[in-house]
Amino acid sequence: MPPLSSPLFYNISPTPWGYALALMSEKGVTFLAFDENKINLETYREREAPFAKAINPDSPQADWVLALKTWMPQRQTEIKLPLDLHGTPFQASVWQALREIPYGETCSYSELSERVGKPKAMRAVASACGKNPLALLVPCHRVLGKGGQVRGFRWGLSMKKALLEEET
């Protein structure tokens, strides 16, 4: 969640994987959540970001929502949206490494640990993946366990498997 001092805007839209809640600051997309039930996302937003305002159709954030809606069904190309990520320097390094995993490719937690220069920090890397606030935009679903096992995904293993299947 971004700092409370930042004005936040939100949108809930249907996607191929249920509904998505997008939270956006004036700087960029800051949080993306998924659920099959729209009411669950509305409840989550009311609890976690009660100060967020619905996106004004004339705002830059409305353009970002349109870009997300257009991009999500295909996702083969990189989306050029401003991101407003908040995390520790280590988390930021992991999230940047995730963004460098090409569409249709995967890596293991140990490979990702190597990429961020912390070869023994597989658990910390997994934790940073789990705290990734921008599923799909920061593609943590492309990280697999040993032997290619599909492990942990904040939005459920069935969604992770579906995303991986779509990318192969």
Side-chain angles (χ1 to χ4, degrees):
M1 228 19 92
L4 296 179
S5 61
S6 301
L8 281 183
F9 307 91
Y10 77 92
N11 179 268
I12 298 176
S13 302
T15 74
W17 314 280
Y19 290 90
L21 164 65
L23 289 176
M24 301 172 183
S25 71
E26 292 174 332
K27 295 178 183 177
V29 184
T30 193
F31 185 75
L32 198 55
F34 294 88
D35 198 290
E36 291 179 6
N37 187 326
K38 183 177 180 180
I39 293 170
N40 290 344
L41 290 176
E42 290 169 351
T43 302
Y44 179 85
R45 199 266 323 149
E46 289 169 1
R47 184 181 68 242
E48 298 297 324
F51 47 86
K53 295 179 171 94
I55 291 176
N56 178 328
D58 298 324
S59 71
Q61 291 85 4
D63 293 338
W64 301 342
V65 169
L66 180 60
L68 277 169
K69 286 180 181 179
T70 304
W71 172 79
M72 273 194 203
Q74 270 114 33
R75 296 181 302 105
Q76 287 94 348
T77 58
E78 182 182 346
I79 187 169
K80 303 284 188 200
L81 278 179
L83 305 182
D84 187 11
L85 287 163
H86 299 268
T88 67
F90 178 75
Q91 289 169 333
S93 71
V94 172
W95 298 338
Q96 181 56 43
L98 289 169
R99 294 184 73 205
E100 294 167 6
I101 302 170
Y103 181 90
E105 293 184 24
T106 60
C107 76
S108 68
Y109 289 103
S110 59
E111 290 169 329
L112 192 58
S113 297
E114 294 277 345
R115 290 180 189 186
V116 298
K118 303 282 186 185
K120 305 245 185 235
M122 288 171 286
R123 286 186 185 192
V125 164
S127 177
C129 288
K131 291 182 173 122
N132 168 21
L134 290 173
L136 302 184
L137 296 173
V138 177
C140 56
H141 64 278
R142 295 181 185 151
V143 183
L144 303 173
K146 284 184 181 177
Q149 291 178 318
V150 177
R151 304 186 70 107
F153 188 59
R154 186 178 197 170
W155 310 112
L157 290 181
S158 60
M159 183 176 173
K160 183 171 184 169
K161 289 175 185 175
L163 291 169
L164 291 169
E165 262 181 43
E166 288 172 16
E167 293 188 12
T168 56

